[in-house]
Amino acid sequence: MIKLNIKNETSRLRAVILGTAKSNGPIPAVEDCYDPKSVEHVLSDTYPKEADMIAEMDAVLEVFKKYDVKVYRPEVIENCNQIFSRDIAFVIEDKIIRANILPDREEEVEAIQYICDQIDVNNRIILPEDCHVEGGDVMPWNDYIFIGTYSGEDYPDLITARTNMDAVIAIQELFPEKTVKSFELRKSNTNAKENALHLDCCFQPIGKGKAIIHKNGFLVEKEYQWLVDFFGKDNVFEITKDEMYQMNSNVFSISKDVIISEKNFTRLNTWLRSEGFTVEEVPYAEISKQEGLLRCTTMPLIRD
């Protein structure tokens, strides 16, 4: 049996699900894309190639091996994009919560069923159907759970709005002892630089009491300010609009001291090292073309 344990984003990682780029399927039609960045690359003929994405994910796998992390992979479904394992489920404490994802992605959940079967059935949670949520919007942070959401009236028209207030309320009810803090995110179906697809696309806490943040990803300035005050201005690394577009906040912590980051994030990686972090650099620029990066492709199961 797998005994789940996730209290935050940075405690020492022991077990994780890493997505797969194998049999990723053909280049999607524009109307089948789920986000504006993918559309951009389909239209400009720069959509990532399967072989390149497999190589990028293999680089992350090597880092996990180096730190002796147990890695699970989804079963490969032919012609199905299974890269973003964080979208389909997430763990808080000892519970795995299945995401109510876009209907087209049900198959991806089946591909990790063999892992779920090793988890106590009482700790497998499926939220009510009207609760929309994806793991990229949900961040356990000790006594808090941070959740990205969107409550505008145009929610049904925005394919980039993935987590609603019904899910925020349901998660608060599941974990009454925690403080659930929700943040309204900026959404756009057409402009990737004005779109925070998930909370981890514009914010992420890292070890040593630090955080990475992009102000424009937040619709409500006082919610952004709450996070800056919570971590302390000197502990927050502010990223630019272009750095958000390149997914600089979407790194992944193996521990409080070790972070996997994209090798082209020069400014961020230099700052991380100056703050005493070990930075494991990997190539992930092809995967980022689908508006997701390191946190999106990993779903932690056990941390210390």
Side-chain angles (χ1 to χ4, degrees):
M1 293 296 277
I2 299 171
K3 278 195 165 9
L4 302 172
N5 185 47
I6 299 291
K7 292 183 166 59
N8 56 45
E9 296 288 314
T10 59
S11 291
R12 176 67 162 91
L13 183 71
R14 300 296 174 188
V16 67
I17 300 175
L18 174 65
T20 180
K22 287 179 181 157
S23 194
N24 196 56
I27 294 171
V30 167
E31 60 272 17
D32 293 333
C33 292
Y34 301 134
D35 65 273
K37 201 168 176 187
S38 293
V39 170
E40 212 175 278
H41 288 289
V42 169
L43 292 173
S44 62
D45 206 22
T46 51
Y47 195 79
K49 294 181 173 63
E50 183 178 302
D52 294 338
M53 294 191 291
I54 289 172
E56 288 184 346
M57 298 193 87
D58 283 349
V60 175
L61 184 61
E62 287 307 309
V63 177
F64 285 144
K65 283 183 186 164
K66 175 178 171 180
Y67 287 92
D68 201 24
V69 175
K70 166 88 174 153
V71 180
Y72 296 88
R73 308 298 294 269
E75 291 172 339
V76 176
I77 301 166
E78 214 169 306
N79 291 324
C80 177
N81 186 334
Q82 297 176 267
I83 290 170
F84 299 115
S85 58
R86 183 82 64 154
D87 287 356
I88 57 176
F90 52 92
V91 176
I92 302 175
E93 297 284 340
D94 59 355
K95 308 225 170 340
I96 186 163
I97 298 157
R98 178 177 155 172
N100 286 345
I101 47 174
L102 300 162
D104 302 352
R105 300 182 64 182
E106 284 294 316
E107 273 190 312
E108 289 178 66
V109 181
E110 290 165 26
I112 61 163
Q113 191 57 49
Y114 82 97
I115 303 164
C116 295
D117 289 343
Q118 299 174 61
I119 296 163
D120 181 341
V121 70
N122 296 315
N123 289 337
R124 300 182 223 162
I125 309 291
I126 299 178
L127 297 177
E129 213 171 300
D130 55 355
C131 299
H132 302 172
V133 62
E134 288 186 351
D137 275 325
V138 182
M139 290 184 186
W141 193 246
N142 306 315
D143 295 334
Y144 286 84
I145 302 172
F146 301 142
I147 304 182
T149 186
Y150 183 76
S151 63
E153 283 180 11
D154 55 348
Y155 178 94
D157 306 323
L158 288 165
I159 197 167
T160 51
R162 302 291 175 82
T163 298
N164 63 10
M165 285 306 293
D166 289 338
V168 174
I169 293 161
I171 290 169
Q172 179 67 84
E173 287 171 353
L174 264 179
F175 300 97
E177 74 290 356
K178 304 237 182 224
T179 301
V180 173
K181 193 95 183 127
S182 66
F183 302 90
E184 292 277 336
L185 302 181
R186 190 175 303 283
K187 301 290 179 182
S188 170
N189 279 351
T190 53
N191 183 350
K193 290 193 177 179
E194 292 289 334
N195 179 49
L197 190 63
H198 292 126
L199 182 58
D200 61 16
C201 296
C202 61
F203 162 73
Q204 191 173 175
I206 52 177
K208 307 177 193 283
K210 313 277 181 198
I212 304 163
I213 201 163
H214 177 63
K215 184 178 182 179
N216 192 55
F218 295 83
L219 269 183
V220 182
E221 187 167 341
K222 70 172 195 285
E223 292 179 357
Y224 151 83
Q225 196 57 51
W226 186 93
L227 280 169
V228 173
D229 295 343
F230 182 84
F231 286 92
K233 198 171 182 342
D234 295 343
N235 292 318
V236 170
F237 185 80
E238 297 263 0
I239 57 175
T240 65
K241 186 174 283 199
D242 195 55
E243 286 170 332
M244 182 193 100
Y245 172 77
Q246 303 296 347
M247 312 292 295
N248 276 233
S249 63
N250 208 279
V251 295
F252 183 74
S253 295
I254 287 183
S255 70
K256 289 178 169 62
D257 307 300
V258 180
I259 293 175
I260 311 179
S261 181
E262 215 286 329
K263 64 185 176 65
N264 295 304
F265 294 171
T266 313
R267 195 174 78 90
L268 172 66
N269 295 345
T270 303
W271 178 78
L272 288 171
R273 290 188 173 110
S274 75
E275 294 292 335
F277 290 97
T278 299
V279 181
E280 295 286 353
E281 293 189 0
V282 295
Y284 236 52
E286 292 305 303
I287 281 171
S288 84
K289 291 176 178 179
Q290 297 180 62
E291 211 158 340
L293 208 79
L294 290 150
R295 189 178 185 273
C296 301
T297 58
T298 49
M299 203 251 282
L301 300 172
I302 303 168
R303 292 186 184 269
D304 285 351

